[in-house]
Amino acid sequence: MSELKVKPPRGSEKNPDHIFISIKGDAKTSMTVTWRTSVDVTSGYALVREDGKSDSVKYDAVTDVFESDIDISNMFWADILNLKPGTKYFYTVGNDEYRSEEFYFTTEEENAESFKFICVSDQQSGQPFELPDYSSFNAVLTKVLEENPDTKFILTAGDNTDCGQHEVQWNGAFSGLKGIVEHIPFMMTLGNHDNRGFQDYKNGIGRYYSEPAEFFSKQFKGSYPFNGPEGWETENYSFNYGNVHFNVIGVNEPEKVNEWLIRDIDATDRVWKFGSYHFPMYYAGPELSNDDGFPMMREGIEKMDVLFAGHEHNFARTFPIKNEELFDKPSQGTIHYELGNSNSNPPGTMSCHKVWHAAHFPCEEQISTVAIVEVFKDKVKLTSKIVEDGRIIDECIIDKKNDCIYPIALAPIFKRRTRTFYKGVGLGLSERGQIPEFKDGMWFSPLAVMFTAIGADVKKEEGKVTLGIYGKSATFTEGSDIAKTDDGEITLPAAVYRGANSQLYIPLEAIVPCFNMKWAYSKRNNYLTIEHVDEAIPMTKQP
């Protein structure tokens, strides 16, 4: 294969670039280094020497062609093996003629029950489109690592690029990582932007998503453990460090990923189980949904202690959650931890505190946030901070031995009356005195109250009410078990009746066929939560 006649800016050259290290095997005795060259260079190797010694060991690299939308390159992956725990090594990569400068890394210590890593997310940069600038992200990482020199690796929660199906974006991202990831393992989670592309990238026309994530998988298939679900490796993988097992989850094929998660987590004996997944299961945005991952991956994810997430560009931490119920003790559920954004990318929509949140911060300032995770034998300390000025957003300690979380925050329990939450937000004043009722083995709700509170269509007439949302409408009549919808009549599981404050109480199950909604009841906390996959704002139009 011949080289391109005209190389794009930041295109591959004979000298190695895009150099980074990653954890692929046992972090105590191995390290993997990845690099890129032009196709003129067809083979390569890493030369590695122990600190204080002059003799180097040669490790041949596996190589493959990466043909992108703008360039043709060779990717190289060298597995550096048979290393000593807790030892510093120096290395170079390339071939006999074209070699990199010398870099270094340090292996995991033996019996590393205590260690620190940092989490970042949503550092994507789209401008300028032909030469994306990631210098500010480089400054973020540089500052955080200067303040935390004992950091062992960096874990991302996705959106490492703005459009990962265009190599110009990966070239930009690696320009922002230069000087950092050659020394510290960089463990990437795939985000929706990382497998996104456009037919016309410059003008943002013809958006599509690659399944599997083509450019991500081609560049990094030798960088990370190839132990994910069959056909979806690279964007799904697991690794260990110290007493923690990590599951990195991609954005595709959730049913198959769930089966892998269950097998993989059940097979580990590590004290802590952490995961990273780009989309938050328990989100903070007013309009979002969790249908990308729940309920398909619930069983696997709820085997974890903490799941790190991104996507929304704001910070949030949940109570321990299992099967929709909110708890106080870490042994009772999974903590879902949204990381904010790590490159001054404020959220596109307003976020808000939800019923499932123990802590929340909207991140609507022009700020960058990171999470510093300190792992001890029986405790984990999570600190989220604003990089630019050092303000602490949230700090908590998960104490596995004493089964508690500090600072203490109790999950709400609504004993006096059942509450209703739409996408995690309470209905406020409109709900007062008009609460759901459990009758004859099923839930009934004054649905007009909720529809009014969230801005949907409500038309009340004598003995009937018509509700409309997300392009669907249905009319419910007092004493009748028939709902009239745009698609015809639907038989309800029970008749509508007049209840508190003369409101019409409708079988809650009616929202499923009438409006394509879903609902769940949390027995411990005594609340109903109603969801819809549509992320539009259900606001009636003013004629």
Side-chain angles (χ1 to χ4, degrees), residues 181-200:
V181 296
E182 302 94 336
H183 309 298
I184 184 167
F186 192 61
M187 311 301 289
M188 284 186 281
T189 301
L190 180 75
N192 61 305
H193 280 253
D194 295 321
N195 71 333
R196 187 179 79 168
F198 290 91
Q199 298 299 330
D200 180 351

Side-chain angles (χ1 to χ4, degrees), residues 16 19 33 35 44-49 56-59 78 80 89-95 98-105 182:
I19 302 167
V33 58
W35 70 94
Y45 56 90
L47 280 178
V48 183
R49 65 179 181 87
S56 295
V57 178
K58 181 180 178 181
Y59 296 88
I80 304 169
Y89 290 88
F90 292 88
Y91 73 95
T92 66
V93 298
N95 65 5
Y98 300 99
R99 295 204 68 73
S100 71
E101 63 182 279
E102 191 171 57
F103 304 109
Y104 66 88
F105 64 82
E182 302 94 336

Side-chain angles (χ1 to χ4, degrees), residues 317-328:
R317 170 171 59 87
T318 72
F319 299 101
I321 302 177
K322 187 169 186 178
N323 197 27
E324 301 290 358
E325 293 187 318
L326 313 179
F327 296 94
D328 309 319

Side-chain angles (χ1 to χ4, degrees), residues 250-438:
V251 297
N252 300 307
E253 199 70 26
E255 291 89 352
K256 198 167 186 178
V257 170
N258 183 60
E259 296 172 0
W260 166 69
L261 285 174
I262 294 168
R263 294 193 306 269
D264 189 76
I265 297 174
D266 283 348
T268 186
D269 60 356
R270 305 286 162 142
V271 175
W272 296 92
K273 287 85 175 176
F274 292 165
S276 61
Y277 177 60
H278 184 61
F279 298 123
M281 301 299 186
Y282 291 93
Y283 51 87
E287 77 283 21
L288 296 189
S289 66
N290 61 10
D291 287 62
D292 291 294
F294 271 9
M296 298 85 80
M297 294 194 296
R298 180 186 298 280
E299 185 178 355
I301 284 171
E302 291 188 344
K303 290 178 176 290
M304 300 176 183
D305 296 296
V306 180
L307 178 67
F308 297 102
H311 189 58
E312 291 193 280
H313 299 202
N314 54 243
F315 170 82
R317 170 171 59 87
T318 72
F319 299 101
I321 302 177
K322 187 169 186 178
N323 197 27
E324 301 290 358
E325 293 187 318
L326 313 179
F327 296 94
D328 309 319
K329 298 178 180 180
S331 64
Q332 295 173 305
T334 300
I335 295 171
H336 297 256
Y337 197 96
E338 280 195 64
L339 292 163
N341 80 87
S342 301
N343 194 15
S344 194
N345 290 318
T349 60
M350 296 181 295
S351 66
C352 53
H353 194 104
K354 303 294 181 81
V355 65
W356 44 69
H357 287 150
H360 166 257
F361 182 73
C363 295
E364 292 189 22
E365 304 170 65
Q366 203 75 27
I367 56 174
S368 306
T369 62
V370 299
I372 300 159
V373 185
E374 299 173 85
V375 178
F376 305 96
K377 183 177 181 180
D378 298 313
K379 296 179 182 179
V380 168
K381 183 179 181 181
L382 299 163
T383 304
S384 277
K385 66 184 297 184
I386 298 170
V387 176
E388 288 80 358
D389 57 22
R391 281 180 291 163
I392 302 297
I393 296 173
D394 180 67
E395 191 169 82
C396 74
I397 294 174
I398 307 171
D399 187 334
K400 191 178 280 280
K401 182 178 180 180
N402 295 302
D403 200 16
C404 59
I405 302 170
Y406 303 103
I408 293 172
L410 297 180
I413 297 177
F414 306 106
K415 280 294 186 183
R416 293 185 63 192
R417 54 184 66 89
T418 304
R419 299 284 296 275
T420 299
F421 291 84
Y422 181 69
K423 294 200 172 189
V425 176
L427 305 184
L429 182 62
S430 62
E431 188 182 30
R432 181 164 181 158
Q434 299 160 137
I435 61 175
E437 295 180 357
F438 190 72

Side-chain angles (χ1 to χ4, degrees), residues 27 108-109 111-115 240-246 270:
E108 176 191 341
E109 295 180 359
N111 302 317
E113 291 181 336
S114 299
F115 66 94
N240 295 317
Y241 199 100
N243 55 356
V244 183
H245 183 71
F246 293 85
R270 305 286 162 142

Side-chain angles (χ1 to χ4, degrees), residues 13-215:
E13 300 175 351
K14 294 178 182 178
N15 285 312
D17 66 359
H18 291 198
I19 302 167
F20 78 100
I21 58 172
S22 56
I23 299 167
K24 185 178 177 182
D26 187 339
K28 296 188 294 292
T29 59
S30 68
M31 190 69 72
T32 293
V33 58
T34 301
W35 70 94
R36 179 190 75 162
T37 71
S38 64
V39 293
D40 297 296
V41 178
T42 58
S43 63
Y45 56 90
L47 280 178
V48 183
R49 65 179 181 87
E50 186 179 336
D51 185 20
K53 296 184 178 180
S54 57
D55 294 339
S56 295
V57 178
K58 181 180 178 181
Y59 296 88
D60 290 325
V62 174
T63 185
D64 202 357
V65 176
F66 171 46
E67 186 168 353
S68 75
D69 55 330
I70 58 170
D71 203 354
I72 304 173
S73 309
N74 276 340
M75 297 299 303
F76 296 84
W77 306 281
D79 296 330
I80 304 169
L81 307 173
N82 302 314
L83 304 177
K84 298 177 182 178
T87 304
K88 186 175 183 179
Y89 290 88
F90 292 88
Y91 73 95
T92 66
V93 298
N95 65 5
D96 292 341
E97 186 176 1
Y98 300 99
R99 295 204 68 73
S100 71
E101 63 182 279
E102 191 171 57
F103 304 109
Y104 66 88
F105 64 82
T106 302
T107 54
E108 176 191 341
E109 295 180 359
E110 193 75 64
N111 302 317
E113 291 181 336
S114 299
F115 66 94
K116 179 190 291 183
F117 66 96
I118 65 171
C119 287
V120 298
S121 187
D122 296 86
Q123 65 267 23
Q124 71 262 40
S125 176
Q127 297 300 321
F129 77 92
E130 74 281 3
L131 208 66
D133 184 6
Y134 281 78
S135 59
S136 57
F137 181 55
N138 185 281
V140 165
L141 289 180
T142 298
K143 188 171 190 292
V144 174
L145 292 172
E146 285 176 351
E147 295 170 349
N148 298 274
D150 52 345
T151 298
K152 300 304 182 184
F153 59 89
I154 300 169
L155 176 67
T156 83
D159 284 2
N160 308 277
T161 64
D162 192 56
C163 293
Q165 281 297 111
H166 300 285
E167 196 189 1
V168 64
Q169 270 288 318
W170 289 108
N171 293 340
F174 275 100
S175 73
L177 296 170
K178 192 172 182 180
I180 295 171
V181 296
E182 302 94 336
H183 309 298
I184 184 167
F186 192 61
M187 311 301 289
M188 284 186 281
T189 301
L190 180 75
N192 61 305
H193 280 253
D194 295 321
N195 71 333
R196 187 179 79 168
F198 290 91
Q199 298 299 330
D200 180 351
Y201 170 61
K202 180 178 179 180
N203 297 300
I205 299 172
R207 183 171 66 181
Y208 68 92
Y209 292 92
S210 174
E211 297 182 16
E214 181 189 8
F215 281 17

